[in-house]
Amino acid sequence: MNVKKTRTPRGKRDSTDAEAGTGDAQTTPPNSRTLQKEATRAAILQSALLIFSERGFDGGSTRDIAAHAGVHHALIKYYFGSKDTLWRAAVTFLFERQAAEMSFEPPAAAATAKSRLSRRDHAREILRQYVLYCARHPEHARLMMQESLRDSERLQWAADTFISGTASRAERFVQMLQREGVLPDVSVPALVYIIVGSAQLFYTLAPEVRRVWGIDPADEAVTAAHVEALLAVLVR
Amino acid sequence: MNVKKTRTPRGKRDSTDAEAGTGDAQTTPPNSRTLQKEATRAAILQSALLIFSERGFDGGSTRDIAAHAGVHHALIKYYFGSKDTLWRAAVTFLFERQAAEMSFEPPAAAATAKSRLSRRDHAREILRQYVLYCARHPEHARLMMQESLRDSERLQWAADTFISGTASRAERFVQMLQREGVLPDVSVPALVYIIVGSAQLFYTLAPEVRRVWGIDPADEAVTAAHVEALLAVLVR
DNA sequence: AAACTCATTATACAAATGGTTAATCAAAGC
DNA sequence: GCTTTGATTAACCATTTGTATAATGAGTTT
């Protein structure tokens, strides 16, 4: 990461490339200062995602996060208030990005495709999108897993704020597939965790996969093989 | 946990129930002292399993482990040398217990049953045993997962010492099922992680499952439903 | 160019943590 | 009963960690 604004003595930034993204209108044209502020905040958030996802909330120190982002650790309080708030901001970022990149529940949205694609093909496409998301952003599952394997106030907050909604969409998705005969008529929560587990684990445990199997889940070909395997097993 | 030997002033134990397990022979009859030593060591190890599995290596402090075991934290050095050695002892315990409780690879061992049970039924039985193991000892997958989602010296050690062997057995198991037409002819590593993930996640994320779905994976009925779902999906 | 804002840094502090050492004290051996 | 052994405890240390506060200085405004 590292903001590394080609620092002059202290936090001075070279305003050469500062005027890059003037996409917005009216609302006060972004100063080099507000731009830099945004960059610093984003750098901290991204570093927090990485550190928290690999070491957990307790294991990841704010100083490590700041160092990885190339900023002073006091800026974490300045921008996010506390370690806890930073963690919540990271989780919020993850779920909002997921919502933006993936419409897990297009059973209704992509209804137009229903005519051309069979329900089975439709299920395949959704699952494929989900696996690709897991491959693209493995830190999402990693960070959430760190919190979900023990009960805590953070898990409670995440469950109420984000996980429950995602779970509801997954539940409807599974029930739809059951009605269509794609999935067997068994426990829905079990099916959800079977699908999620079989899609996620290969990427959350990528370090183990590399070391034990000598392949890299980040490789496109490897991911393609995983998608093929998952679809062959799940969608009968 | 808590050793809690009904302590008199200091580490004194009531020798009433001390002579409980005199099963062994010759090799110096277990003193009340050696018995207590074994109990203390076991208590520390069990507490380490719990704490490490829930908070990870960095997040779990030796003082918390000692407190949970009801002993002084200096005893961790006395019995295990260091936090790192304690962690390795915990991992060793996990894999040895797994080997004792589960013969994941009876494709050859239980060959006698091949005559009575079909290969498909045999696969079902193995998978069922594995799910039940995950349900019985969720801390195994939790603790290993904590280490496997980032590369470290500990992961390297665990991979070389235990995971590789388990992976080989799983690989042979999957290949056998492929030959029998139970599993599709796709990437073996992908299949392994699909199977493991669909079996484990429901129990490693039990706190999330309880909170989000209102069911407890530790319930026998819930586990039975999960086994049914897993077999319905995986064994065609 | 001077005054002002505020993003950034320096510094401090109490608590927690892994590790170490010496003291203690009950059990084992004589 | 007395000594020895060793499991347990107390006290200590250096480091890390989250948080807080004041100083600083570059960018903005007038």
Side-chain angles (χ1 to χ4, degrees), chain A residues 63-75:
Chain A
R63 278 175 166 87
D64 280 347
I65 292 172
H68 184 271
V71 305
H72 195 276
H73 72 269
L75 287 184

Side-chain angles (χ1 to χ4, degrees), chain A residues 193-194 196-199 201-202, chain B residues 130 191-202 204 226 230:
Chain A
Y193 280 85
I194 285 171
V196 171
S198 57
L201 198 70
F202 193 59
Chain B
Y130 181 57
L191 278 178
V192 168
Y193 280 86
I194 286 171
I195 293 173
V196 171
S198 56
Q200 279 185 352
L201 198 71
F202 193 60
T204 54
H226 183 250
L230 186 113

Side-chain angles (χ1 to χ4, degrees), chain B residues 5 7 10 33 37 40 72 78-79:
Chain B
K5 32 216 163 164
R7 289 233 196 94
R10 234 169 294 263
R33 214 171 179 183
K37 190 178 179 181
T40 300
H72 195 276
Y78 182 78
Y79 280 102

Side-chain angles (χ1 to χ4, degrees), chain B residues 7 40 44 61-67 69-83 86:
Chain B
R7 289 233 196 94
T40 300
I44 294 176
S61 77
T62 57
R63 277 175 166 86
D64 280 347
I65 292 173
V71 305
H72 195 276
H73 73 269
L75 286 184
I76 287 185
K77 181 191 170 167
Y78 182 78
Y79 280 102
F80 295 94
S82 72
K83 186 185 187 183
L86 172 60

Side-chain angles (χ1 to χ4, degrees), chain A residues 67-151:
Chain A
H68 184 271
V71 305
H72 195 276
H73 72 269
L75 287 184
I76 287 185
K77 181 189 170 170
Y78 182 77
Y79 280 102
F80 295 93
S82 72
K83 186 184 187 183
D84 202 80
T85 319
L86 171 60
W87 184 87
R88 281 173 164 76
V91 172
T92 302
F93 172 87
L94 284 178
F95 278 91
E96 288 181 349
R97 183 180 61 183
Q98 184 182 37
E101 291 190 9
M102 250 209 29
S103 48
F104 193 178
E105 59 153 346
T112 55
K114 189 180 10 171
S115 48
R116 289 180 299 178
L117 300 175
S118 77
R119 235 60 200 263
R120 183 169 270 96
D121 286 337
H122 180 231
R124 283 199 182 94
E125 181 55 23
I126 303 286
L127 290 174
R128 189 177 146 274
Q129 286 299 329
Y130 181 57
V131 173
L132 293 183
Y133 175 83
C134 291
R136 205 161 50 234
H137 305 300
E139 72 278 6
H140 184 150
R142 284 191 194 123
L143 196 150
M144 293 313 300
M145 194 170 297
Q146 298 259 19
E147 289 302 321
S148 292
L149 35 77
R150 81 185 130 131
D151 205 9

Side-chain angles (χ1 to χ4, degrees), chain B residues 106-116 119 122:
Chain B
T112 55
K114 187 179 17 171
S115 48
R116 288 180 301 179
R119 235 60 199 264
H122 180 230

